[in-house]
Amino acid sequence: MRLLRRVVSSYSNVFSRSMSSSCGRTVMSFGDGNQGALGLPTSLTGIGGDAYEPTPVPGLPADVSNVSAGHYHSLAVTSDGALWAWGRNNESQLGRGGVLEPRDTWNLPKRVEGLDQVNVCAAFASGVVSSAIGDDGSLWVWGKSKRGQLGLGKDVTEAMVPSRVEALAGEKIVKVSFGWGHAIAQTEDGKLFGWGYSADGRIGKLGKALESSPLDSNIDASERNQELSTSTIEAAEKLVLEGMEKEKDMPIIWEPCLVEELNGVEVADIVCGLDHSLVLCGNSILLSCGSNVYGQLGREKQDMGMFPVDINVRPIVIGSGLGHSLAICQVPSSDATGGATNLVSWGWNQSSQLGRAGPENTPLLVEGLEGETLVSVSGGRVHSTVLTSKGEVWIWGCGKNGRLGLGSSCDETEPMLLDSLEGFEVLQAVSGFDHNLVLVAE
């Protein structure tokens, strides 16, 4: 591991010096490289190797404008509207014309095919599906999902190349977020659409009676709490897979539908966890819906559907991991400007991904970020990341496979500054399940 750290550090230092004479942007990655999501050459990490510190991804243009980290793959948008992808491709989520390339080529960034007539301005990824938003507000999707996550029509479970979501053709989409099998999209004028697997009300009321998922009903509350308090991450994953197998008659919404509960309410931000959703309204009310097996809904009201999170500060930006939820909030301050922010977290805390102690199902402030102005937040499977206005990245939770970028596999119970990025201006920081991407400029 020490040898790998020296190689990674050396590679980063050489790259930093080469950037000093240019004004380009660079994507860096770190964490689990097993699925190729890091985009790093095998000569550096070995096939499927991990990166324990932020390391430049070679082969990308110097004008990347934004990035997205899926569960096991990555996307990068350039300023001229092109989209690049790398990582897992078993479900054709890389958009390479339906070609399933050998696993040892997954780590090579390549342009997504079939978007030549689309000026891509943003991209979003899940585990098995990728998406792109055109500057005209069009939504394009590709990959495979038996849960209707593509939104392309009844029984359409795969799209080998980017396909436009025609059900949203009359809308201008600005953001889309994916769970394991569900999806929600936000329009420029503040409407919310949902589609895919609808159990537990994870996409709100869409004209059908809400029903619970076998994933939540296969064990009672006392057994679940005992399981979660003593299990490893692998055991928790096994629980998820067992529940998925029991979902034989899946309630699926095959095309995007307007979410009824929010009729007349402006939506300001959206995010999906594995099987829950958060919706921030323009009036600063934060709503949650879906599974609450980890307390990720953050509310005492357990009814299915969208209801307010029990939070006593004003949320302004939201994020989510697999089973935990995050919100950047404005907090009371003696400063005359009143612009202080902090982070509130709740939900699954198996590996300290909440960054604080206390009741897991109750939204509470994360200590250690006082005095920082937080601008974005992102969650992985069992870790969390925030970006500050100073271009600094703070990270905590599970350190396995180097996913914290701190040079070790150790877990961190509270936010730690990612000081290896000193000297770079970080423009964006996002977390996939077990890997991370940072977009930097110098």
Side-chain angles (χ1 to χ4, degrees), residues 161-208:
V161 295
S163 302
R164 183 167 183 173
V165 180
E166 295 296 341
L168 292 172
E171 305 292 340
K172 189 173 180 63
I173 304 301
V174 294
K175 184 176 182 180
V176 61
S177 186
F178 297 95
W180 193 264
H182 70 291
I184 53 178
Q186 172 188 348
T187 67
E188 186 179 52
D189 56 358
K191 295 195 294 288
L192 182 69
F193 288 83
W195 65 96
Y197 184 55
S198 63
D200 309 314
R202 66 193 67 183
I203 50 179
K205 293 180 181 177
L206 298 173
K208 291 187 177 183

Side-chain angles (χ1 to χ4, degrees), residues 112-181:
V112 173
E113 299 176 8
L115 290 171
D116 295 343
Q117 304 305 312
V118 181
N119 187 25
V120 178
C121 60
F124 303 92
S126 70
V128 295
V129 171
S130 298
S131 68
I133 296 177
D135 62 357
D136 60 352
S138 59
L139 176 62
W140 301 74
V141 295
W142 58 99
K144 297 180 183 179
S145 174
K146 66 179 182 179
R147 296 185 166 202
Q149 202 174 28
L150 292 170
L152 296 174
K154 185 171 176 56
D155 297 326
V156 178
T157 59
E158 67 177 42
M160 309 301 280
V161 295
S163 302
R164 183 167 183 173
V165 180
E166 295 296 341
L168 292 172
E171 305 292 340
K172 189 173 180 63
I173 304 301
V174 294
K175 184 176 182 180
V176 61
S177 186
F178 297 95
W180 193 264

Side-chain angles (χ1 to χ4, degrees), residues 20-336:
S20 62
S21 59
S22 67
C23 297
R25 296 180 174 188
T26 299
V27 178
M28 292 186 174
S29 65
F30 57 95
D32 190 339
N34 179 56
Q35 303 284 335
L38 299 183
L40 301 179
T42 56
S43 59
L44 177 63
T45 64
I47 296 176
D50 304 329
Y52 285 75
E53 293 180 357
T55 307
V57 178
L60 288 172
D63 64 337
V64 172
S65 59
N66 61 84
V67 293
S68 174
H71 297 177
Y72 309 112
H73 70 292
S74 304
L75 303 172
V77 180
T78 63
S79 61
D80 61 356
L83 180 62
W84 293 65
W86 61 97
R88 179 184 171 95
N89 197 36
N90 276 353
E91 295 78 22
S92 301
Q93 57 266 62
L94 298 189
R96 296 181 179 176
V99 177
L100 298 181
E101 299 171 331
R103 185 188 180 99
D104 61 3
T105 66
W106 287 0
N107 62 315
L108 301 176
K110 293 184 180 179
R111 281 194 63 169
V112 173
E113 299 176 8
L115 290 171
D116 295 343
Q117 304 305 312
V118 181
N119 187 25
V120 178
C121 60
F124 303 92
S126 70
V128 295
V129 171
S130 298
S131 68
I133 296 177
D135 62 357
D136 60 352
S138 59
L139 176 62
W140 301 74
V141 295
W142 58 99
K144 297 180 183 179
S145 174
K146 66 179 182 179
R147 296 185 166 202
Q149 202 174 28
L150 292 170
L152 296 174
K154 185 171 176 56
D155 297 326
V156 178
T157 59
E158 67 177 42
M160 309 301 280
V161 295
S163 302
R164 183 167 183 173
V165 180
E166 295 296 341
L168 292 172
E171 305 292 340
K172 189 173 180 63
I173 304 301
V174 294
K175 184 176 182 180
V176 61
S177 186
F178 297 95
W180 193 264
H182 70 291
I184 53 178
Q186 172 188 348
T187 67
E188 186 179 52
D189 56 358
K191 295 195 294 288
L192 182 69
F193 288 83
W195 65 96
Y197 184 55
S198 63
D200 309 314
R202 66 193 67 183
I203 50 179
K205 293 180 181 177
L206 298 173
K208 291 187 177 183
L210 299 179
E211 55 185 285
S212 62
S213 164
L215 179 58
D216 276 1
S217 59
N218 60 356
I219 51 177
D220 65 32
S222 60
E223 290 174 336
R224 181 184 301 128
N225 290 336
Q226 182 178 4
E227 174 75 18
L228 294 177
S229 64
T230 60
S231 69
T232 63
I233 294 174
E234 289 74 16
E237 291 171 353
K238 181 181 178 181
L239 179 64
V240 171
L241 294 174
E242 289 174 351
M244 289 170 62
E245 285 299 315
K246 295 182 180 181
E247 296 170 344
K248 300 299 183 183
D249 185 20
M250 297 184 293
I252 293 175
I253 306 297
W254 290 99
E255 292 186 346
C257 296
L258 193 66
V259 177
E260 295 177 357
E261 291 106 313
L262 298 181
N263 185 28
V265 177
E266 180 185 2
V267 173
D269 198 7
I270 58 172
V271 70
C272 292
L274 180 84
D275 48 17
H276 79 289
S277 305
L278 299 176
V279 177
L280 179 60
C281 301
N283 56 9
S284 298
I285 293 178
L286 179 58
L287 306 174
S288 64
C289 58
S291 170
N292 199 36
V293 68
Y294 303 120
Q296 63 265 49
L297 298 186
R299 52 179 165 87
E300 291 187 8
K301 189 176 183 64
Q302 298 301 306
D303 294 2
M304 284 191 290
M306 290 189 176
F307 296 99
V309 174
D310 297 332
I311 191 168
N312 58 8
V313 285
R314 179 173 176 262
I316 53 178
V317 179
I318 54 177
S320 177
L322 181 150
H324 68 290
S325 302
L326 304 156
I328 296 174
C329 300
Q330 286 188 340
V331 296
S333 172
S334 57
D335 192 326

Side-chain angles (χ1 to χ4, degrees), residues 298-381:
R299 52 179 165 87
E300 291 187 8
K301 189 176 183 64
Q302 298 301 306
D303 294 2
M304 284 191 290
M306 290 189 176
F307 296 99
V309 174
D310 297 332
I311 191 168
N312 58 8
V313 285
R314 179 173 176 262
I316 53 178
V317 179
I318 54 177
S320 177
L322 181 150
H324 68 290
S325 302
L326 304 156
I328 296 174
C329 300
Q330 286 188 340
V331 296
S333 172
S334 57
D335 192 326
T337 62
T341 64
N342 207 330
L343 186 70
V344 174
S345 63
W346 62 97
W348 194 27
N349 200 31
Q350 181 71 36
S351 297
S352 301
Q353 60 265 42
L354 296 187
R356 49 83 176 174
E360 298 174 0
N361 61 348
T362 302
L364 295 174
L365 288 175
V366 176
E367 297 181 0
L369 294 171
E370 297 88 348
E372 301 292 341
T373 300
L374 310 180
V375 296
S376 70
V377 60
S378 182
R381 188 196 305 258

